[in-house]
Amino acid sequence: MIQQGDADRILQQIRHDIAARQRLVTHYLAEFTIAHDNASFHVWLTLPEHWRLSDFVSAAEDAKVTVKSAELFTPPGCTTPPAVRLAISAPVNHQQLEQGLQILSDLLRTDPISDFPL
């Protein structure tokens, strides 16, 4: 693969795909606080103040979108930031990613207290 140049072509395809996925993230989540790099396979999304981390993770799961709590990436004894990690390479195609990002965008705009009474 290396001698034929296939490895470089595959790498370029992966880089192109991830950059396109990052652009989708920016499009759908631009109004929120996101931390990402155009070459990264994931994005950090800081939650608005009206969302508790555990409530957002549960609400996303209920909407069939998997996000990972920052708690999973926080060392013991440290404060967990109110953020979730999005694995943007996990969806099988851009359409699936867009659907998930739209769901998250809509969810972030909701008020978990009044829109999802306990």
Side-chain angles (χ1 to χ4, degrees):
M1 287 181 70
I2 292 172
Q3 290 177 345
Q4 299 293 327
D6 293 336
D8 286 334
R9 280 189 289 281
I10 291 168
L11 181 58
Q12 288 304 322
Q13 289 172 344
I14 291 169
R15 287 179 175 155
H16 178 74
D17 182 61
I18 288 300
R21 288 171 183 256
Q22 287 286 355
R23 286 190 298 275
L24 288 172
V25 168
T26 300
H27 174 76
Y28 283 93
L29 301 179
E31 69 187 271
F32 304 102
T33 304
I34 52 176
H36 62 118
D37 180 279
N38 286 337
S40 180
F41 290 91
H42 69 273
V43 173
W44 283 101
L45 168 66
T46 300
L47 301 179
E49 289 184 15
H50 62 273
W51 274 104
R52 281 187 11 197
L53 183 54
S54 59
D55 291 341
F56 185 81
V57 171
S58 294
E61 287 177 4
D62 290 346
K64 308 293 187 235
V65 177
T66 302
V67 298
K68 297 295 182 182
S69 170
E71 182 178 31
L72 298 171
F73 305 93
T74 304
C78 294
T79 302
T80 301
V84 293
R85 186 176 189 236
L86 311 177
I88 64 168
S89 60
V92 295
N93 56 45
H94 291 196
Q95 181 182 3
Q96 189 180 52
L97 176 60
E98 284 187 88
Q99 289 171 342
L101 291 170
Q102 183 64 62
I103 290 168
L104 292 177
S105 179
D106 293 344
L107 192 58
L108 288 162
R109 287 188 199 93
T110 63
D111 181 353
I113 301 301
S114 62
D115 293 342
F116 302 105
L118 299 176

